[in-house]
Amino acid sequence: MSTYLRLRAVPPPALRNSTTWFERLFEDDSESVRHRVVRHREEALDEHYLDQERIYAGAAPHRAEDRPRTQVVLGGRPVFRADRHKPPFLVLTAAQARQVAGFLAMADFDALWDFARAELLPRYGGATAEHETWHAFAAAHQELRAFYAQTAECGDAVVKWLPA
């Protein structure tokens, strides 16, 4: 079973600071969520989300001096669960989501890739697989760019969840 990092856009008035509410947000199917929070957009990154984080952060995740760069994948204010063994939810405010959208709109993916490629390529088959690997990460970049652009346009916040 693959592990996915899920990101959902939520209108700020609908957002609750409750782990129970966040769990329901991700338990429900997209139609239920769309009905409850008026609109719904979701993005999911596959089990390679840590490598996607590496492309944006340029180093270990959560380097504070690189915000909003480090907020693209794993950044946000943690909301911890009662069971501390489960990963926290991460929340970006609408303003932070706009900053991320701006970063992604201006980001040169090739430059980001060039900085991370030496570390990432060995995990994906080396230089012979670079073309396919680049395309997979570039496609994820475009999906994140579109997700955050639409989220910013609507003035929404973002909730992130890594299913345990």
Side-chain angles (χ1 to χ4, degrees), residues 3 5-6 9 18-19 27 41 56 64 66 76 80 83 86 89 94 105 116 118 127 134 144 150 154 158 160-161:
T3 301
L5 176 69
R6 295 172 59 193
S18 157
T19 56
E27 279 177 359
R41 283 176 315 287
Y56 296 113
D66 285 338
F80 295 98
D83 181 349
K86 292 182 178 179
F89 292 97
W134 180 93
L144 283 168
Q150 187 176 15
C154 292
V158 174
K160 303 173 188 180
W161 178 54

Side-chain angles (χ1 to χ4, degrees), residues 101-109 145:
F103 166 74
L104 290 173
M106 301 302 295
D108 176 351
F109 180 77
R145 179 185 275 182

Side-chain angles (χ1 to χ4, degrees), residues 112-122 127 130:
L112 294 170
W113 173 255
D114 287 344
F115 191 76
R117 71 182 287 282
E119 183 180 334
L120 296 179
L121 278 180
E130 183 168 7

Side-chain angles (χ1 to χ4, degrees), residues 34-139:
R34 183 178 293 121
H35 180 71
R36 188 169 68 244
V37 298
V38 182
R39 57 186 173 267
H40 159 73
R41 283 176 315 287
E42 179 174 276
E43 185 58 48
L45 294 175
D46 66 14
E47 68 273 3
H48 304 292
Y49 67 91
L50 288 175
D51 290 334
Q52 196 75 34
E53 172 76 5
R54 172 68 175 97
I55 287 173
Y56 296 113
H62 306 298
R63 283 190 9 203
E65 67 271 19
D66 285 338
R67 291 187 189 267
R69 173 176 224 187
T70 58
Q71 293 177 328
V72 175
V73 178
L74 292 178
R77 176 182 54 85
V79 176
F80 295 98
R81 299 169 171 198
D83 181 349
R84 296 287 183 165
H85 294 96
K86 292 182 178 179
F89 292 97
L90 300 171
V91 180
L92 291 179
T93 65
Q96 290 169 318
R98 276 192 307 277
Q99 289 177 330
V100 172
F103 166 74
L104 290 173
M106 301 302 295
D108 176 351
F109 180 77
D110 287 325
L112 294 170
W113 173 255
D114 287 344
F115 191 76
R117 71 182 287 282
E119 183 180 334
L120 296 179
L121 278 180
R123 293 198 284 266
Y124 296 92
T128 58
E130 183 168 7
H131 182 74
E132 295 82 14
T133 305
W134 180 93
H135 277 288
F137 282 100

